[in-house]
Amino acid sequence: MTITLRPATEADAPSIARIATAAFADSLSPLIFPRSQLATATVTEADLTADEVTWRTSMYIKRMREGKPCVVAVEVDESTGEEKEILGSAHWQKPGPEGPEVLGVEVRPATYDKDMFAKVVERFTTKDKETLGPRGHEDYWYAILISVDPKQHRRGIGRKLLNWGLAHARKEGRDAYLTATDAGVPLYEVCGFESMETYDCYGVPLTSMVWRLDKNRQ
Ligand SMILES: CC(C)(COP(=O)(O)OP(=O)(O)OC[C@H]1O[C@@H](n2cnc3c(N)ncnc32)[C@H](O)[C@@H]1OP(=O)(O)O)[C@@H](O)C(=O)NCCC(=O)NCCS
């Protein structure tokens, strides 16, 4: 079996959403799908997971339709060329101004805390501008979301997904930027990112990290 990368399609969205839901279970997910809802008799852990997969699926599709490139890592059987499962994904945003938002795609399940999601996005945006200046990450290759199936960690998949965007940044003479959870920091450091600032996002520590082309010439 070999692991290769290919562009994601909308048909991949449920699989990559399931992986992201599992990968972020210990960090950002409980903010957006509050576990306090489990105190009611009507909501179960399985409901929250299913609702998060539904929401994330719609968000992947929304961002794809907004022109944000998404790449998946897939396991391929070399002897037959047959694609097996999806192992992880990275959603990137190319340098340039944020285009128009695609409306009407995002699905908002009842257990999703849309006000908290808006606050988290606002925190990211404010910090990006504090760290990088008023244009935020507009001049950078920006990694929106990278996640690898928790059963497949430490096989080099995260590095491959990250290097996909960094190769584009190199080709275009750009720097790269992302916001890391604690789980992501070691990967990003080993790939040449530097921590700018660690801050609190409603109880979740996040780190703004920059990859400078001039320090990462090959
Ligand atoms: C972060 C994440 C994407 C890493 O994916 P991965 O496929 O396991 O990473 P790789 O196998 O490519 O790791 C490459 C190198 O990064 C470093 N690294 C990765 N995970 C690490 C960890 N948990 N602890 C220490 N170093 C780590 C190591 O140097 C590793 O090389 P090695 O395995 O030869 O020692 C994955 O753990 C994940 O999906 N986590 C949950 C979601 C998340 O936090 N995403 C990032 C949010 S910004």
Side-chain angles (χ1 to χ4, degrees), residues 110-129:
T111 61
Y112 154 80
D113 186 341
K114 76 172 174 13
D115 294 336
M116 177 52 86
F117 181 62
K119 279 159 65 177
V120 169
V121 171
E122 174 62 25
R123 180 68 55 94
F124 271 57
T125 309
T126 304
K127 274 292 163 192
D128 291 353
K129 290 186 176 168

Side-chain angles (χ1 to χ4, degrees), residues 8-213:
T9 66
E10 291 190 8
D12 298 321
S15 300
I16 58 186
R18 268 192 294 278
I19 290 171
T21 297
F24 287 100
D26 296 332
S27 54
L28 289 167
S29 294
L31 282 182
I32 318 291
F33 289 85
R35 268 41 196 174
S36 54
Q37 299 177 89
L38 297 173
T40 69
T42 48
V43 177
T44 67
E45 189 75 46
D47 294 330
L48 291 180
T49 302
D51 283 357
E52 185 174 342
V53 170
T54 300
W55 173 70
R56 284 191 184 276
T57 299
S58 72
M59 290 299 283
Y60 277 107
I61 292 172
K62 173 178 185 286
R63 290 183 182 125
M64 286 180 205
R65 291 186 187 175
E66 288 169 349
K68 294 166 183 162
C70 189
V71 61
V72 282
V74 294
E75 188 126 49
V76 173
D77 185 330
E78 304 123 63
S79 56
T80 62
E82 190 193 346
E83 184 175 313
K84 301 289 177 186
E85 53 180 336
I86 291 176
L87 307 172
S89 69
H91 218 147
W92 288 86
Q93 186 168 343
K94 297 175 190 174
E98 181 80 46
E101 191 180 0
V102 170
L103 299 171
V105 180
E106 182 181 354
V107 175
R108 296 176 166 174
T111 61
Y112 154 80
D113 186 341
K114 76 172 174 13
D115 294 336
M116 177 52 86
F117 181 62
K119 279 159 65 177
V120 169
V121 171
E122 174 62 25
R123 180 68 55 94
F124 271 57
T125 309
T126 304
K127 274 292 163 192
D128 291 353
K129 290 186 176 168
E130 279 175 26
T131 308
L132 303 173
R135 291 166 62 85
H137 53 70
E138 257 189 39
D139 298 320
Y140 296 74
W141 266 82
Y142 172 57
I144 304 170
L145 208 62
I146 297 184
S147 56
V148 172
D149 182 338
K151 298 188 293 299
Q152 307 288 345
H153 285 177
R154 305 305 285 268
R155 292 183 68 195
I157 300 165
R159 190 194 289 263
K160 268 191 208 299
L161 290 163
L162 193 59
N163 281 338
W164 183 89
L166 297 181
H168 282 277
R170 263 202 186 88
K171 209 161 125 193
E172 296 171 13
R174 297 280 189 170
D175 294 339
Y177 178 77
L178 54 78
T179 300
T181 60
D182 283 353
V185 170
L187 166 68
Y188 303 137
E189 282 180 342
V190 91
C191 290
F193 279 79
E194 292 164 40
S195 298
M196 309 283 286
E197 186 191 347
T198 298
Y199 60 94
D200 174 75
C201 180
Y202 304 98
V204 177
L206 296 177
T207 304
S208 305
M209 301 185 81
V210 170
W211 178 91
R212 303 272 180 214
L213 177 59

